[in-house]
Amino acid sequence: MPGRLVGKVALITGATGGIGQATAELFAREGASLVVTDIAQDAVEGLAASLEAEGADVLAARLDVSSPENWSEVIELTRRRFGRLDVLANIAGVVDWPGVEETTKDGWDRVVAVNQTGTWLGMKTALPLLRACGNASVINTSSVLGLVGSGAAAAYQATKGAVRLLTKTAAVEYATRGVRVNSVHPGVIATPMIQDLLDEQGDEQPDIVRTPMRRAGSPAEIAPMMLFLASDESSFVTGAEFVVDGGLTAH
């Protein structure tokens, strides 16, 4: 039985992180050709090698998502290797935990550069190639903290809220131009980005306590949502937000 992404080329940022790697592995199993990117060259090349060993067609590239020049280079590499781009999954992200008064300018700028500017630059640079295929999908990774407040992580929350509305306005702009744009909003997910926090607080971590399922999710529980949005099964879905949070935002 053919995979759900056979014939599609997908570019994934943050591909060596928890959600990024789970998404890359699932996309590969479903038949996609992949462009896997991350800021860590060795890690992204290692991921590509493991995916290729399973039979996937993979291009690995180092990508600083805050760099317009780096984005242009990666999109050109994609065009030369595959001649098309069907899916852009903007997953790269960083977190800074302080609240409003404790957040530093350097901390704020770093989070905005990766989470917000990086998402915009990815769309801006990839959209000409995405539009050319006529049936493309952009998946932007926001967070439940782009929907509700937590009283902390001011810079992170600001950027994830921005990604949510950037997604919606892009969806309206490109709805008749062959590109769907949606956002995914994970809850507490056991990824390297927050693993130290989970190791320290365990099930007493405040957001886990507020989660009706009373546990953290796994990256493998986010990847299937990415797959749905990348596939043609979501052909009438754009400008929407998909929450995968164990019920955290249900109350």
Side-chain angles (χ1 to χ4, degrees), residues 48-96:
S50 69
L51 295 172
E52 288 172 338
E54 298 295 323
D57 188 3
V58 185
L59 169 66
R62 182 187 179 277
L63 174 60
D64 174 357
V65 296
S66 68
S67 166
E69 295 79 14
N70 207 175
W71 263 114
S72 294
E73 292 165 1
V74 170
I75 294 301
E76 179 59 19
L77 287 171
T78 302
R79 188 191 64 78
R80 290 181 183 177
R81 171 70 174 269
F82 297 111
R84 63 183 293 134
L85 182 63
D86 303 89
V87 179
L88 171 64
N90 282 312
I91 302 177
V94 295
V95 67
D96 193 37

Side-chain angles (χ1 to χ4, degrees), residues 229-250:
L229 293 172
S231 76
D232 292 339
E233 295 160 22
S234 56
S235 59
F236 196 53
V237 178
T238 197
E241 52 203 41
F242 291 83
V243 180
V244 190
D245 70 350
L248 177 60
T249 56

Side-chain angles (χ1 to χ4, degrees), residues 30-32 42-43 45 58 63 79 87 122 125-126 164 170 189 207 235 239:
E30 292 292 338
D42 291 346
E45 288 180 354
V58 185
L63 174 60
R79 188 191 64 78
V87 179
T125 314
R164 173 178 175 264
I189 307 299
D207 287 327
S235 59

Side-chain angles (χ1 to χ4, degrees), residues 183-237:
S183 58
V184 174
H185 299 253
V188 183
I189 307 299
T191 67
M193 187 168 71
I194 66 165
Q195 194 59 55
D196 289 347
L197 187 66
L198 295 177
D199 289 343
E200 177 185 340
Q201 299 180 358
D203 290 344
E204 298 307 310
Q205 199 276 333
D207 287 327
I208 292 179
V209 171
R210 290 196 292 270
T211 298
M213 287 189 176
R214 297 300 172 93
R215 66 174 178 85
S218 72
E221 291 176 299
I222 305 299
M225 182 61 74
M226 301 289 191
L227 173 60
F228 168 69
L229 293 172
S231 76
D232 292 339
E233 295 160 22
S234 56
S235 59
F236 196 53
V237 178

Side-chain angles (χ1 to χ4, degrees), residues 80-208:
R80 290 181 183 177
R81 171 70 174 269
F82 297 111
R84 63 183 293 134
L85 182 63
D86 303 89
V87 179
L88 171 64
N90 282 312
I91 302 177
V94 295
V95 67
D96 193 37
W97 295 111
V100 173
E101 291 186 62
E102 292 77 21
T103 295
T104 65
K105 180 66 161 50
D106 286 346
W108 178 273
D109 288 346
R110 171 175 170 266
V111 175
V112 170
V114 174
N115 296 0
Q116 183 172 335
T117 303
T119 298
W120 163 68
L121 279 174
M123 290 196 296
K124 174 182 175 63
T125 314
L127 271 163
L129 199 53
L130 290 163
R131 283 191 286 108
C133 86
N135 182 30
S137 174
V138 174
I139 308 162
N140 291 329
T141 308
S142 180
S143 168
V144 291
L145 297 187
L147 299 171
V148 298
S150 71
Y156 182 81
Q157 293 223 213
T159 60
K160 292 304 185 178
V163 167
R164 173 178 175 264
L165 283 181
L166 176 61
T167 297
K168 290 182 182 297
T169 197
V172 173
E173 184 176 358
Y174 290 92
T176 60
R177 300 170 72 183
V179 184
R180 297 177 290 106
V181 190
N182 294 285
S183 58
V184 174
H185 299 253
V188 183
I189 307 299
T191 67
M193 187 168 71
I194 66 165
Q195 194 59 55
D196 289 347
L197 187 66
L198 295 177
D199 289 343
E200 177 185 340
Q201 299 180 358
D203 290 344
E204 298 307 310
Q205 199 276 333
D207 287 327
I208 292 179

